[in-house]
Amino acid sequence: MSTKTDTERVRGWVTGRLPGEWFEGEPELTIDRDEILIVGRLKAPEQGDDVSAAERSAAEEGRIKQFREDTRERRIEIARELEHATRRKVAWGVDCGGSRKVFTSLSAPVMTRLRQPERQVLDTLVDAGVARSRSDALGWCVKLVSQHADTWLGDLREALTKVEDVRSAGPDKTE
């Protein structure tokens, strides 16, 4: 987990480094031990109220593709600088209207030991065609838990931030 100071430092660096015309407002940052995900909001294409959902979605996809192509070299340059400074991979994404697209994202291996009942759950998901492999099935399970436990996970993350604040105020604090 990244520390509050880490997050603030990265947020400040990204705010100062990104071209101001790229996104509407501040980009959303998601940081973990391995990766920094930067997701910015693009201005949605101007369309009338009478366009179909398919047309609106296609226009958003086009805007996202244009942004991705037009900014590729600069995003790579910025990502390399940030990766060097933080020793984390950098991924990019955008929101445009009702569409969200993450361009690249790290897939990190996670070692786990599962007993037979847990392996049987994964194998059932594979056998049913929900997942291609045990790895995919485990990822599917994590996403499902995340969707249904958002409030609880948010409370837990907030509590961890408070623990971090108390630790940083302790007697071993370095200035």
Side-chain angles (χ1 to χ4, degrees), residues 18 22-24 26-30 35-42 64-65 67-68 71 75 90-96 99-105:
L18 291 183
W22 277 10
F23 302 128
E24 292 183 329
E26 297 267 326
E28 170 190 324
L29 293 181
T30 306
E35 180 179 35
I36 299 168
L37 173 61
I38 303 168
V39 179
R41 174 152 292 287
L42 300 179
I64 290 169
K65 183 171 176 50
F67 173 83
R68 186 176 188 185
T71 62
R75 285 185 297 107
V90 174
W92 296 91
V94 292
D95 288 324
C96 182
S99 301
R100 180 177 205 136
K101 174 79 174 168
V102 175
F103 303 145
T104 54
S105 187

Side-chain angles (χ1 to χ4, degrees), residues 7-21:
T7 301
E8 290 170 349
R9 195 168 275 140
V10 169
R11 181 173 305 288
W13 189 91
V14 168
T15 298
R17 184 65 175 87
L18 291 183
E21 67 274 6

Side-chain angles (χ1 to χ4, degrees), residues 22-147:
W22 277 10
F23 302 128
E24 292 183 329
E26 297 267 326
E28 170 190 324
L29 293 181
T30 306
I31 303 172
D32 69 9
R33 292 179 181 111
D34 304 308
E35 180 179 35
I36 299 168
L37 173 61
I38 303 168
V39 179
R41 174 152 292 287
L42 300 179
K43 185 176 190 241
E46 292 183 27
Q47 296 177 295
D49 294 335
D50 59 338
V51 299
S52 69
E55 186 175 343
R56 188 172 310 282
S57 177
E60 291 168 359
E61 286 177 33
R63 175 67 45 91
I64 290 169
K65 183 171 176 50
Q66 177 188 11
F67 173 83
R68 186 176 188 185
E69 296 301 321
D70 291 350
T71 62
R72 177 173 275 124
E73 288 182 30
R74 294 279 310 274
R75 285 185 297 107
I76 290 170
E77 175 186 331
I78 292 167
R80 284 186 180 145
E81 292 173 13
L82 188 53
E83 287 171 0
H84 180 74
T86 63
R87 292 190 164 90
R88 290 179 174 102
K89 288 295 189 184
V90 174
W92 296 91
V94 292
D95 288 324
C96 182
S99 301
R100 180 177 205 136
K101 174 79 174 168
V102 175
F103 303 145
T104 54
S105 187
L106 180 67
S107 179
V110 177
M111 295 299 295
T112 185
R113 295 183 186 276
L114 300 176
R115 303 221 182 272
Q116 189 177 35
E118 290 90 10
R119 293 191 312 267
Q120 287 175 333
V121 169
L122 300 181
D123 291 342
T124 298
L125 293 171
V126 172
D127 293 343
V130 172
R132 293 184 314 250
S133 64
R134 282 181 171 176
S135 177
D136 281 345
L138 187 56
W140 185 87
C141 291
V142 170
K143 286 178 195 170
L144 186 65
V145 168
S146 176
Q147 289 172 356

